[in-house]
Amino acid sequence: HFGTMKTSERVVLRLEFLSGNENINPETSLYLRGISFDHYDGKTWFKSKRNLNQRFLMPLTRRIKNGYLSIPQQINTSSIDFPELEYNIYQEPLNNEMAVIFVATKAVAIKPQNSRFSQRQRKTTFFMDYLHNLTHDKENNISLDYTGRSEVFNHAVMNLDQAETLYPRSLKDRFTQLPLDIDKRIFELAKEYSQDTDNIYASVLSIQNSLIANYGYTTEGVGHLTDPIANFLFERKEGHCEYFSTAMVLMLRSLGIPARPVNGFLGSQYNSYGDYYIIKEANAHTWVEVFFPDHGWLIFDPTPP
């Protein structure tokens, strides 16, 4: 939804790097992915209920080196060896509707750590849904320890301007969905922002950078408007990350480019006494993932710094 953004200082995650943190600035560019959505009804994002025969939660069971569970990748054709992060996360009780696991993008493996729990407590089971969101089988009112491994993607070395545009049919149908009553001015704005581009990657960058340059940031929401994104783009011209990310996803989808919004956390604060990073509720953020056939889902962020 598009309410006022709260700026709570409550600590929700503590992250300790084991290796690879020289490849990232944790205080400004650490994206901890939580949950993504595929369907937009004009006011709200949610997970669609299509393909009811599809298994919605798949337990992670394939064990790899050092006790890790492999996280299946939707596509894995890149020949580039990206550097990896390895990190421990201590997750405070979140009391969410969904038992979400937060991991640095792009996560490739995870394993539970039960050191803070009673030895008699059963081991945590991790699941992945059809949107590649990670969840667990513990109640949300307890803490959770786990270790993750993630790749650090770099757009600059991926030759995305040469990326294919032949998307799998089922994926394109799901991730180019738009409300039937969408304001058609959004289509025109997408064409305007991408008119001087000659490939998909350039179009994505142009729309992202145009939003950053032409719109302002505020934590204030607008309440229950008939069309909050049209109001943001053509009248108010300021908003928080949910407005920016939704606007970018809708414009990309209007051009036939599969995209989705992702909720999680961005950035952290270093605690020198414990040598770990603190993530607060105020670090909550929404960004965009765009699908490239040769590379999978990649992060783009249209919200101004």
Side-chain angles (χ1 to χ4, degrees), residues 183-236:
D183 192 316
K184 296 305 185 291
R185 291 179 296 172
I186 294 175
F187 290 63
E188 297 305 316
L189 190 62
K191 292 177 182 177
E192 176 185 334
Y193 285 161
S194 60
Q195 64 182 355
D196 295 325
T197 62
D198 57 5
N199 61 75
I200 296 298
Y201 179 54
S203 298
V204 173
L205 283 182
S206 183
I207 290 175
Q208 170 191 263
N209 295 336
S210 295
L211 286 167
I212 291 173
N214 296 322
Y215 294 85
Y217 184 86
T218 178
T219 58
E220 295 299 315
V222 294
H224 299 283
L225 290 180
T226 301
D227 191 335
I229 297 305
N231 174 267
F232 162 67
L233 288 173
F234 305 111
E235 297 176 36
R236 194 174 184 224

Side-chain angles (χ1 to χ4, degrees), residues 1-209:
H1 64 85
F2 298 92
T4 296
M5 188 71 71
K6 305 296 184 182
T7 55
S8 166
E9 293 298 301
R10 174 177 174 256
V11 175
V12 290
L13 302 172
R14 292 174 176 83
L15 185 147
E16 174 190 23
F17 283 104
L18 302 177
S19 64
N21 50 308
E22 68 276 6
N23 299 308
I24 193 173
N25 185 338
E27 296 186 90
T28 60
S29 56
L30 176 65
Y31 285 86
L32 292 171
R33 189 187 194 279
I35 184 171
S36 61
F37 304 91
D38 61 342
H39 196 89
Y40 185 63
D41 65 4
K43 296 181 181 179
T44 306
W45 282 101
F46 56 91
K47 293 168 60 178
S48 67
K49 297 295 191 294
R50 290 187 294 176
N51 298 332
L52 294 178
N53 293 327
Q54 185 176 3
R55 288 194 301 170
F56 286 102
L57 289 178
M58 178 181 69
L60 303 183
T61 58
R62 189 167 76 87
R63 296 190 177 277
I64 53 179
K65 188 177 179 181
N66 297 329
Y68 275 101
L69 298 170
S70 176
I71 298 174
Q73 304 300 310
Q74 187 154 15
I75 187 169
N76 189 25
T77 61
S78 178
S79 59
I80 303 172
D81 290 326
F82 291 100
E84 278 195 359
L85 303 175
E86 188 173 22
Y87 48 91
N88 290 327
I89 285 185
Y90 174 67
Q91 184 170 300
E92 295 286 359
L94 297 179
N95 299 314
N96 290 339
E97 293 180 10
M98 184 177 180
V100 179
I101 290 286
F102 294 92
V103 286
T105 56
K106 180 181 184 180
V108 295
I110 190 170
K111 64 180 175 180
Q113 300 288 352
N114 293 325
S115 59
R116 300 176 197 259
F117 298 137
S118 165
Q119 294 298 315
R120 293 176 295 177
Q121 190 170 8
R122 62 183 175 83
K123 202 168 186 178
T124 305
T125 301
F126 296 120
F127 301 87
M128 185 181 72
D129 69 11
Y130 67 98
L131 294 175
H132 280 224
N133 303 318
L134 295 177
T135 63
H136 61 87
D137 64 344
K138 300 294 183 182
E139 294 183 3
N140 270 328
N141 59 355
I142 66 170
S143 302
L144 193 68
D145 277 294
Y146 51 96
T147 302
R149 281 184 19 225
S150 299
E151 291 182 325
V152 183
F153 275 16
N154 181 355
H155 291 181
V157 300
M158 297 176 72
N159 295 321
L160 292 176
D161 54 350
Q162 305 295 322
E164 293 287 340
T165 58
L166 296 176
Y167 305 106
R169 177 63 182 272
S170 60
L171 183 142
K172 185 170 182 177
D173 287 347
R174 181 182 293 276
F175 294 105
T176 58
Q177 174 272 334
L178 291 167
L180 294 177
D181 58 349
I182 186 172
D183 192 316
K184 296 305 185 291
R185 291 179 296 172
I186 294 175
F187 290 63
E188 297 305 316
L189 190 62
K191 292 177 182 177
E192 176 185 334
Y193 285 161
S194 60
Q195 64 182 355
D196 295 325
T197 62
D198 57 5
N199 61 75
I200 296 298
Y201 179 54
S203 298
V204 173
L205 283 182
S206 183
I207 290 175
Q208 170 191 263
N209 295 336

